[in-house]
Amino acid sequence: MIMKKKVYSLLLLLVFLFLGDSPVRAQGWPANYNGVMLQAFYWDSFDATKWTTLEKQADELSKYFSLVWIPQSAKATNSKSMGYDPLYWFSDYNSTFGTKDELVTMIKTFKNKGIGTIADIVVNHRGNVSNWVDFPKETYKGVTYQLLSTDIVSDDDEGETKAWADKNGYSLSSNTEGTSEALGGKCEGWKGMRDLDHASTNVQNNVKAYLKMLLSDEFGYVGFRWDVAKGFPGKYFGIYNNDSKPTYSVGEFWDGDVSKCIKWIDATKYNNIIQSAVFDFPFRYTVRDAINNNDWEKLGNSSVMSNADYRQYAVTFVENHDTEKRSNAAQDPIKKDTLAANAYLLAMPGTPCVFLTHWMAHKQEIKAMIDARKAAGITNTSSYTNMRSSYGLYANLIKVNDKNRLIVTVGSDLSGYTPSSADWTKILEGYHYAYYLNNSLETAWVDKASGTFSNPLSVKLTAVSATSGAQLVYTLDGSNPTASSSKVNSGSTITINETCTLKVGILKNGSVSGVITREYTFLEAKTITVHVDVSKVNWSNVNFWTWGGDGSHAPTNSNWPGDRVTATKTVNDKTWYYKSFTLNSDDDLVNFVFSTNSGSPQTVDINNVTTDKYFEISTTQTDGKYTVNDVTETVTGINEIKSATPYLNNKIYTIDGRVVRDHYDLNTLPHGIYIYKGKKIVK
């Protein structure tokens, strides 16, 4: 009877744990997680990170990323903001990146494609409506939420807020910033906005309601990235996560000390259960130091990822919006070998977070790395063994369930280590990095990832097999390859120059196995030319600072003020400086700032340029920057087209609105007047 009671009690406990409202449901970050995250913004990524722009990429992103982290999405105090100056939590979601409807539609589209969206949670500090201590009053589902002056810590802004409050008849909290278990002392303040007292019941109630709203069907977020995790005690992250139960949670505990990061993870425990992962800054600094010092042995330095007991909670990265090099600030960037940095990141355990600028600049290479990670089955709790550690070379063998799966080598001297060809097959190699898959995987491999191209593609097909000399069979029409399909030897290359679905498999003993799929789309690019007249401001030279679009339009000179332009042409008796740009898709665009060679004076931003333009720099100024007039119509009349590049999916119409059938190439049109991309053209 005693034994039966124990069994019955155990069953009740299990039911409670798995079905009840238990903290077990919030575990900080899943174990054995095989996803990769994308940080879908960089500093001032106002065009690249528009909700509508990101949504259009859902198909492509879903093939490589399980999570996408986006900026704080509510309206902030500044009209143009990255969201780290938060103002509204409940009522206004018209942000720099789009409207609430656009945000919710994007999150829903991502969800339907298998992508979870991570919200940037900024609750360490908050902006005010009209004075130092007044917060917005917001009503959500019939409940009014408002923070009070007494929800501000007494030592906010090093005492300046209290001095103002005392002078103007307001009271602050009697509590200070608090102490951090991980820091072993006072939490860090964030000057410029009001730091909140998370010991306040009112603050906690507001935050809890805010988090639950973001996770609800109204928005559909799946997890949180916590800003300024050093700003208030770690236990509150545990309290908030236990209450709202996100699937994913990661804190920005910005510190290179592994022991402090682990202490912060432990500090988030609720009922002795860890409630949050942490961004692995020690991992990031290890990679930065190895690359910037050209000492690859430094990759052996410890990180959260290197600790087997905590790597489940390590969200690894090599660059983010705070460490990247910005146009007007040095920051703390990785100065070279971006691809090698990402190769190491994407081969190792932990949950890798890829930075948007790296993705945009090296999309095909990073896709191939993620393909390799997936082929090997690497998760956030996989193990690894170091195979070689030296000044010029670092090599790790990654294991999944104690089985050898992938070797990554990085460094300036990759010849220093080559694994046995009997056990390993090289599948990828680039500047200062290489990947090898274990032959036991018995899979075909294609070195070019799926994607969109404008030029013919040379694709290498490889058999990862324990059978020496295994052949490969492939199809280009999306059908599964058979023994009678086209055959090639491992290591052969084929040329692909049209849209197709490539499927490749290993042929052994008349049967096909290890089939993989790649999808290639070919589009025509178009060239636009941007002209600038500087005569009204009497500049003797001009520089183009460019950004935006698909990431390929950054100036060759990455230092402000960008590329000096010397090419000129005369149109309508005026001299125009000009430069041409290639747009690679219907959604591609270029943004500009024009300046003198010294970088000052400069113009205001010119955004979303997608066609040939003639700009005239005006003598009027806005905030100390010259305004720019678009005089394209005046200069060109009705845009006479002498030559043009074919451009996909842009229909041409007659002047009365009828579609010109089968004429997508402007050069093949008969003489006449047409409507093309919303403008008149003459041929």
Side-chain angles (χ1 to χ4, degrees):
M1 181 62 72
I2 294 176
M3 181 60 70
K4 288 183 179 180
K5 286 183 178 180
K6 287 183 177 180
V7 171
Y8 181 69
S9 298
L10 178 59
L11 288 174
L12 285 178
L13 176 61
L14 289 173
V15 170
F16 174 75
L17 290 178
F18 287 100
L19 299 179
D21 187 18
S22 164
V24 171
R25 293 173 60 192
Q27 298 266 346
W29 203 274
N32 301 313
Y33 183 66
N34 63 358
V36 178
M37 183 161 70
L38 174 70
Q39 179 181 353
F41 63 98
Y42 49 87
W43 204 254
D44 292 344
S45 61
F46 301 118
D47 292 315
T49 309
K50 284 188 181 299
W51 308 142
T52 52
T53 299
L54 291 176
E55 184 191 359
K56 291 176 183 177
Q57 302 170 47
D59 280 334
E60 181 179 37
L61 295 177
S62 66
K63 294 178 175 64
Y64 298 94
F65 298 103
S66 300
L67 298 172
V68 172
W69 159 32
I70 65 171
Q72 194 281 122
S73 52
K75 186 175 181 179
T77 59
N78 293 307
S79 59
K80 196 171 186 179
S81 170
M82 291 302 297
Y84 293 111
D85 54 334
L87 181 58
Y88 294 98
W89 285 358
F90 298 96
S91 61
D92 194 336
Y93 275 77
N94 294 313
S95 72
T96 308
F97 304 100
T99 66
K100 178 181 178 180
D101 286 345
E102 290 168 342
L103 169 68
V104 172
T105 299
M106 178 197 71
I107 294 173
K108 183 177 180 180
T109 299
F110 280 178
K111 181 179 180 180
N112 290 339
K113 298 290 183 180
I115 302 172
T117 305
I118 300 295
D120 205 318
I121 304 300
V122 189
V123 294
N124 170 72
H125 52 268
R126 193 174 179 187
N128 308 102
V129 178
S130 61
N131 65 32
W132 276 56
V133 299
D134 65 330
F135 297 97
K137 180 183 291 186
E138 303 177 273
T139 300
Y140 177 68
K141 291 191 173 181
V143 179
T144 298
Y145 296 95
Q146 185 177 30
L147 298 182
L148 309 173
S149 66
T150 50
D151 294 321
I152 302 169
V153 293
S154 61
D155 53 347
D156 178 56
D157 275 17
E158 299 174 355
E160 291 182 34
T161 304
K162 188 175 189 308
W164 184 93
D166 290 345
K167 181 179 179 180
N168 289 276
Y170 290 91
S171 297
L172 305 185
S173 170
S174 60
N175 297 323
T176 62
E177 294 276 4
T179 58
S180 166
E181 304 87 333
L183 294 174
K186 189 174 181 294
C187 293
E188 294 183 358
W190 199 85
K191 193 166 185 180
M193 303 196 82
R194 305 293 73 78
D195 286 357
L196 304 180
D197 175 19
H198 286 271
S200 161
T201 300
N202 187 45
V203 170
Q204 290 185 27
N205 289 339
N206 273 255
V207 173
K208 288 176 179 179
Y210 169 51
L211 298 177
K212 286 180 177 177
M213 180 191 73
L214 294 177
L215 293 175
S216 72
D217 291 340
E218 180 177 350
F219 284 87
Y221 285 103
V222 299
F224 308 137
R225 176 266 184 186
W226 295 91
D227 186 56
V228 195
K230 288 185 175 182
F232 54 98
K235 66 179 181 180
Y236 294 111
F237 297 91
I239 290 171
Y240 294 142
N241 278 349
N242 174 72
D243 182 74
S244 58
K245 296 178 174 53
T247 304
Y248 308 93
S249 171
V250 55
E252 184 211 24
F253 189 83
W254 192 339
D255 205 295
D257 188 321
V258 179
S259 63
K260 289 181 179 179
C261 292
I262 289 176
K263 284 181 180 178
W264 184 85
I265 294 172
D266 285 336
T268 71
K269 288 180 178 178
Y270 189 94
N271 285 354
N272 208 36
I273 297 172
I274 291 171
Q275 299 293 316
S276 184
V278 73
F279 272 111
D280 197 346
F281 278 89
F283 179 94
R284 191 267 165 182
Y285 288 131
T286 290
V287 175
R288 180 208 62 184
D289 291 346
I291 290 175
N292 288 357
N293 294 295
N294 198 33
D295 182 359
W296 299 88
E297 195 170 12
K298 290 182 179 292
L299 291 177
N301 293 347
S302 62
S303 63
V304 181
M305 184 279 300
S306 70
N307 187 312
D309 293 330
Y310 283 88
R311 65 173 55 124
Q312 171 183 341
Y313 305 105
V315 178
T316 54
F317 70 104
V318 295
E319 206 79 287
N320 70 17
H321 61 293
D322 285 319
T323 64
E324 66 169 323
K325 180 177 175 59
R326 301 181 194 166
S327 59
N328 295 312
Q331 301 305 112
D332 183 28
I334 292 175
K335 298 177 181 178
K336 55 185 178 179
D337 280 325
T338 300
L339 281 174
N342 279 280
Y344 186 70
L345 168 75
L346 289 165
M348 298 302 291
T351 298
C353 183
V354 175
F355 188 39
L356 181 60
T357 59
H358 292 178
W359 168 251
M360 293 167 67
H362 306 288
K363 189 176 291 187
Q364 288 304 317
E365 293 89 346
I366 290 175
K367 283 181 177 180
M369 295 171 190
I370 296 175
D371 282 335
R373 180 184 182 88
K374 290 181 177 180
I378 297 169
T379 75
N380 62 344
T381 53
S382 296
S383 60
Y384 67 94
T385 302
N386 178 249
M387 306 301 289
R388 189 65 52 88
S389 178
S390 64
Y391 187 79
L393 171 69
Y394 198 81
N396 276 348
L397 185 159
I398 297 85
K399 299 182 178 182
V400 178
N401 297 325
D402 293 325
K403 295 180 180 179
N404 296 340
R405 284 294 180 254
L406 184 144
I407 288 178
V408 55
T409 62
V410 290
S412 55
D413 182 19
L414 297 184
S415 63
Y417 175 75
T418 302
S420 166
S421 60
D423 298 316
W424 299 93
T425 297
K426 183 189 289 186
I427 58 165
L428 287 177
E429 60 181 327
Y431 188 69
H432 288 177
Y433 75 90
Y435 276 11
Y436 300 81
L437 280 180
N438 192 267
N439 290 338
S440 64
L441 286 168
E442 295 292 338
T443 183
W445 176 259
V446 178
D447 68 333
K448 296 296 189 299
S450 300
T452 301
F453 304 87
S454 55
N455 296 311
L457 195 61
S458 180
V459 177
K460 184 178 180 180
L461 312 183
T462 302
V464 180
S465 174
T467 301
S468 178
Q471 277 193 311
L472 295 161
V473 286
Y474 70 92
T475 62
L476 296 172
D477 61 1
S479 62
N480 289 323
T482 66
S484 60
S485 299
S486 299
K487 298 180 182 65
V488 293
N489 293 324
S490 181
S492 299
T493 59
I494 60 174
T495 299
I496 296 178
N497 54 19
E498 61 183 4
T499 298
C500 69
T501 298
L502 170 67
K503 287 195 172 185
V504 187
I506 297 176
L507 178 63
K508 292 194 304 181
N509 300 321
S511 63
V512 179
S513 62
V515 176
I516 64 168
T517 302
R518 299 287 186 266
E519 296 178 349
Y520 303 118
T521 302
F522 284 80
L523 294 178
E524 296 285 354
K526 76 168 180 177
T527 299
I528 66 169
T529 303
V530 175
H531 311 74
V532 180
D533 169 28
V534 300
S535 60
K536 287 191 175 182
V537 288
N538 296 314
W539 291 0
S540 59
N541 53 67
V542 65
N543 279 53
F544 284 38
W545 180 259
T546 50
W547 73 97
D550 67 358
S552 67
H553 309 304
T556 303
N557 178 11
S558 60
N559 294 317
W560 171 261
D563 294 336
R564 183 170 183 175
V565 174
T566 57
T568 61
K569 66 172 67 169
T570 302
V571 180
N572 294 352
D573 298 323
K574 282 188 177 183
T575 299
W576 301 84
Y577 292 90
Y578 71 93
K579 186 175 181 180
S580 297
F581 301 84
T582 299
L583 302 187
N584 298 303
S585 72
D586 288 328
D587 300 323
D588 205 2
L589 56 85
V590 192
N591 303 310
F592 296 85
V593 168
F594 306 117
S595 71
T596 63
N597 193 43
S598 64
S600 180
Q602 70 175 70
T603 69
V604 297
D605 294 1
I606 302 97
N607 294 312
N608 304 325
V609 177
T610 60
T611 59
D612 291 351
K613 288 291 183 182
Y614 285 80
F615 291 117
E616 176 187 79
I617 300 178
S618 170
T619 56
T620 60
Q621 295 187 13
T622 300
D623 296 330
K625 300 175 182 179
Y626 286 110
T627 59
V628 178
N629 298 321
D630 182 351
V631 295
T632 305
E633 292 296 328
T634 302
V635 173
T636 63
I638 55 174
N639 295 337
E640 182 177 1
I641 302 297
K642 292 185 172 63
S643 64
T645 302
Y647 195 51
L648 193 71
N649 295 333
N650 283 305
K651 293 181 179 179
I652 302 171
Y653 300 85
T654 61
I655 197 69
D656 60 354
R658 291 179 291 109
V659 174
V660 180
R661 294 178 182 273
D662 302 323
H663 280 293
Y664 292 94
D665 185 346
L666 301 182
N667 294 310
T668 66
L669 287 172
H671 293 298
I673 298 175
Y674 302 92
I675 304 294
Y676 177 64
K677 299 191 75 174
K679 292 189 175 182
K680 292 180 181 178
I681 61 172
V682 62
K683 181 70 169 62

